[in-house]
């Protein structure tokens, strides 16, 4: 039975508030933040979190509609996960990855139960970026080829190869052009690169473009194709019908390893354990992180097919990590998967997507001229904001923000909602165990705040 989160608004203690203010001072004095100009930052100091709520150093409570970085799928401080970490810490805090440990073995077994097809072997990493790095390394060694295909408007991680595989503006300052990556245009019906007028046309034209890229680049030189099953930070643009099946068919036709990046979309976020299940497709490799243990301890991984595994059955795999399969991280994964199953969180996400988020966001789009499109599945939705529905001019430029978006974000926070925004989009990505009442309350806050962006429609 699904748990309905009904956390009371219990204010943080004075000690927690003092610690939060001290944390802010030390942060500004010593911490170097990612993806940021350091002296322009004013980070929120979070002093407490519970279920679907967080509190800042001023004692203000927020409904977390961001799941932080879309990873706290089971919410904050879930007792099953916390207790699993505590039990593991009292038994065995850490061990070198060459040894077998109960937490890692059980986590691998549970993940193998959930992955489609014969993806029954799991290599653990520290997060999603290195999961993609190792997946590509495996594909290159398996095929003896070098090139990697990846879509524009994608994100695959911040490490060297992963950022080069990425197809959003964060790649550009780090792209040295010698990584062997070839980018192709994605199927994105709302902003079609192929002048498509229907989802079916988008699928047909996008697949033709992809096959042209494969042929022109030389199919025999391409090791892997990396594709987010539903792109996350890049826009939660759900692939049109037939596209994922077509990608799978092309990779099989040309002997290319198909890597499904499920780092954000996986572990229930899109209403299935893995988003690729929406299309009944089995890739050669799935990469995962984030929701596997809700980020309670850093963990990622590569789930591979038997064919990929057999490449390294008698041949050493040239790669590893000191913290691969860390006992605390794997114990958290066991706890998170157990909680998700016992509380039917994946089913709850699917129901909320069908009965609450989808209908309410579509109704919102009818009321607000600044909404160009809403799209998503499960607890994984995007509101694309525009200044003009006819021209689809975005409310913020690609790769940047705008005063209009900043005004919207400030209003949402003032109303007690912690948002996730990127460029001209507002993402609706709460924990999967959010209750219907809280989900509707968060949507109501967004609904009211969008009156601000409506004022900028021309």
């Amino acid at each position: 039975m699904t748990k309905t989160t009904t956390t009371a608004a219990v204010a943080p203690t004075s000690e927690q508030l003092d610690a939060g203010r001290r944390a802010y001072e030390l942060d500004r004095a010593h911490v170097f933040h990612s993806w940021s100009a350091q002296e322009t930052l004013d980070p929120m100091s979070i002093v407490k979190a519970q279920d679907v709520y967080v509190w800042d150093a001023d004692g203000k409570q927020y409904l977390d509609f961001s799941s932080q970085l879309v990873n706290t799928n089971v919410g904050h401080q879930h007792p099953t996960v916390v207790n699993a970490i505590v039990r593991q810490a009292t038994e065995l805090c850490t061990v070198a990855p060459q040894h077998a440990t109960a937490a890692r073995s059980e986590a691998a077994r549970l993940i193998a139960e959930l992955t489609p097809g014969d993806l029954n072997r799991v290599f653990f990493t520290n997060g999603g970026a290195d999961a993609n790095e190792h997946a590509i390394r495996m594909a290159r060694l398996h095929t003896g080829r070098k090139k990697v295909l990846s879509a524009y408007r994608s994100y695959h991680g911040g490490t060297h190869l992963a950022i080069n595989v990425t197809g959003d503006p964060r790649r550009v300052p780090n792209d040295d052009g010698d990584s062997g990556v070839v980018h192709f245009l994605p199927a994105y019906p709302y902003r079609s690169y192929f002048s498509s007028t229907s989802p079916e046309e988008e699928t047909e034209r996008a697949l033709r473009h992809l096959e042209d890229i494969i042929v022109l680049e030389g199919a025999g030189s391409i090791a892997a194709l990396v594709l987010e099953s539903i792109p996350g930070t890049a826009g939660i643009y759900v692939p049109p019908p037939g596209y994922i099946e077509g990608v799978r068919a092309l990779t099989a036709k040309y002997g290319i390893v198909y890597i499904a990046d499920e780092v954000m979309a996986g572990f229930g976020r899109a209403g299935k354990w893995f988003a690729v299940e929406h299309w009944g497709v089995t890739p050669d490799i799935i990469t995962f992180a984030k929701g596997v243990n809700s980020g309670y301890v850093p963990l990622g991984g590569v789930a591979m097919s038997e064919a990929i595994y057999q490449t390294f059955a008698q041949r050493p795999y040239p790669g590893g990590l000191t913290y691969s399969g860390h006992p605390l991280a794997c114990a958290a994964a066991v706890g998170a998967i157990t909680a998700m199953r016992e509380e039917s969180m994946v089913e709850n996400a699917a129901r909320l997507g069908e009965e609450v988020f989808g209908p309410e966001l579509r109704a919102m789009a009818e009321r607000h001229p600044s909404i160009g499109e809403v799209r998503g599945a499960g607890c994984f939705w995007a509101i694309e904001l525009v200044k003009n529905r006819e021209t689809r001019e975005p409310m913020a430029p690609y790769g940047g923000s705008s005063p209009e978006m900043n005004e919207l974000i400030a209003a949402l926070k003032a109303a007690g909602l912690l948002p996730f925004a990127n460029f001209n989009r507002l993402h609706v990505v709460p924990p999967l165990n959010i209750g219907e009442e809280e989900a509707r309350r968060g949507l109501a806050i967004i609904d009211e705040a969008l009156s601000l962006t409506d004022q900028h429609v021309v």
Side-chain angles (χ1 to χ4, degrees):
M1 181 176 179
T2 302
K3 175 182 177 240
T4 302
T5 51
T6 55
T7 301
V10 179
T13 65
S14 59
E15 291 80 6
Q16 288 174 314
L17 296 178
D18 288 342
R21 288 187 280 269
R22 174 65 171 158
Y24 181 88
E25 294 171 0
L26 293 175
D27 179 286
R28 296 294 70 220
H30 302 293
V31 176
F32 193 95
H33 285 259
S34 56
W35 307 118
S36 301
Q38 301 304 304
E39 293 188 5
T40 66
L41 287 175
D42 184 21
M44 177 186 291
S45 184
I46 293 180
V47 299
K48 178 182 176 180
Q50 188 67 45
D51 292 337
V52 296
Y53 294 100
V54 299
W55 288 259
D56 68 15
D58 293 322
K60 184 176 177 63
Q61 182 188 34
Y62 299 85
L63 178 59
D64 189 357
F65 250 45
S66 71
S67 295
Q68 297 304 291
L69 285 175
V70 199
N71 63 331
T72 55
N73 287 11
V74 303
H76 297 280
Q77 300 301 116
H78 194 291
T80 302
V81 186
V82 172
N83 291 337
I85 296 169
V86 171
R87 284 195 303 272
Q88 185 62 45
T90 62
E91 295 171 4
L92 183 66
C93 278
T94 192
V95 67
Q98 64 264 32
H99 305 297
T101 61
R104 183 171 59 209
S105 298
E106 181 63 6
R109 182 188 72 81
L110 290 173
I111 293 165
E113 282 184 355
L114 300 172
T115 51
D118 66 344
L119 278 65
N120 296 320
R121 310 282 185 163
V122 180
F123 174 75
F124 286 107
T125 65
N126 300 326
D130 48 350
N132 284 321
E133 294 257 354
H134 282 279
I136 291 168
R137 185 180 302 182
M138 291 175 185
R140 284 173 166 169
L141 293 168
H142 175 72
T143 62
R145 304 171 181 178
K146 169 73 173 177
K147 289 180 182 176
V148 180
L149 296 177
S150 176
Y152 287 108
R153 290 187 179 266
S154 67
Y155 183 73
H156 298 286
T159 52
H160 181 69
L161 177 57
I163 197 64
N164 278 263
V165 174
T166 286
D168 84 5
R170 285 173 287 185
R171 179 192 87 256
V172 177
N174 301 289
D175 191 346
D176 49 27
D178 65 355
S179 61
V181 177
V182 177
H183 287 95
F184 60 91
L185 295 170
Y188 183 10
Y190 183 68
R191 297 191 181 278
S192 174
Y193 293 103
F194 310 106
S195 302
S196 301
T197 58
S198 70
E200 294 75 18
E201 202 169 62
E202 180 75 0
T203 292
E204 188 273 329
R205 293 180 180 185
L207 288 174
R208 185 195 312 152
H209 160 75
L210 177 56
E211 185 162 21
D212 286 344
I213 293 291
I214 291 171
V215 171
L216 292 170
E217 284 292 333
S221 69
I222 301 169
L225 182 148
V226 185
L227 185 67
E228 292 174 279
S229 302
I230 299 177
T233 310
I236 314 183
Y237 54 96
V238 180
Y243 182 72
I244 294 293
E245 299 95 319
V247 169
R248 169 75 277 193
L250 287 175
T251 56
K253 176 180 178 180
Y254 291 104
I256 297 167
V257 173
Y258 172 25
I259 302 170
D261 182 337
E262 294 268 349
V263 170
M264 188 175 285
F267 288 92
R269 174 57 56 185
K272 300 279 188 182
W273 280 102
F274 294 98
V276 76
E277 295 177 68
H278 281 289
W279 300 280
V281 164
T282 301
D284 299 299
I285 289 174
I286 284 177
T287 56
F288 63 85
K290 292 187 182 285
V292 66
N293 67 1
S294 283
Y296 282 37
V297 182
L299 184 68
V302 180
M304 70 198 78
S305 69
E306 186 64 19
I308 302 295
Y309 169 78
Q310 285 299 326
T311 296
F312 307 103
Q314 301 299 322
R315 168 189 179 185
Y317 173 63
L321 298 154
T322 298
Y323 303 116
S324 175
H326 193 282
L328 297 181
C330 287
V334 173
I337 294 170
T338 299
M340 291 175 76
R341 280 177 157 172
E342 290 179 347
E343 299 175 20
S344 302
M345 291 188 201
V346 180
E347 294 81 358
N348 187 56
R351 183 186 67 80
L352 289 174
E354 294 170 2
E355 299 178 8
V356 178
F357 292 124
E360 289 296 322
L361 289 171
R362 284 188 283 270
M364 228 181 273
E366 293 294 320
R367 293 191 295 273
H368 294 284
S370 59
I371 296 180
E373 184 181 54
V374 297
R375 52 184 181 259
C379 288
F380 201 35
W381 290 80
I383 304 170
E384 180 139 356
L385 296 167
V386 296
K387 293 183 177 180
N388 186 297
R389 281 184 172 177
E390 294 298 318
T391 65
R392 302 187 179 182
E393 179 187 354
M395 194 64 67
Y398 181 65
S401 189
S402 67
E404 295 88 350
M405 290 300 297
N406 291 337
E407 181 184 34
L408 172 64
I409 293 164
L412 293 170
K413 289 180 178 178
L417 185 125
L418 189 62
F420 187 106
N422 193 39
F423 307 162
N424 68 311
R425 297 180 312 275
L426 186 66
H427 291 191
V428 177
V429 286
L432 311 188
N433 60 341
I434 189 170
E436 182 173 333
E437 180 181 344
E438 290 157 317
R440 292 188 184 279
R441 184 164 69 83
L443 291 172
I445 292 172
I446 293 172
D447 192 10
E448 182 174 353
L450 287 174
S451 62
L452 296 171
T453 51
D454 289 342
Q455 295 173 16
H456 302 289
V457 171
V458 295

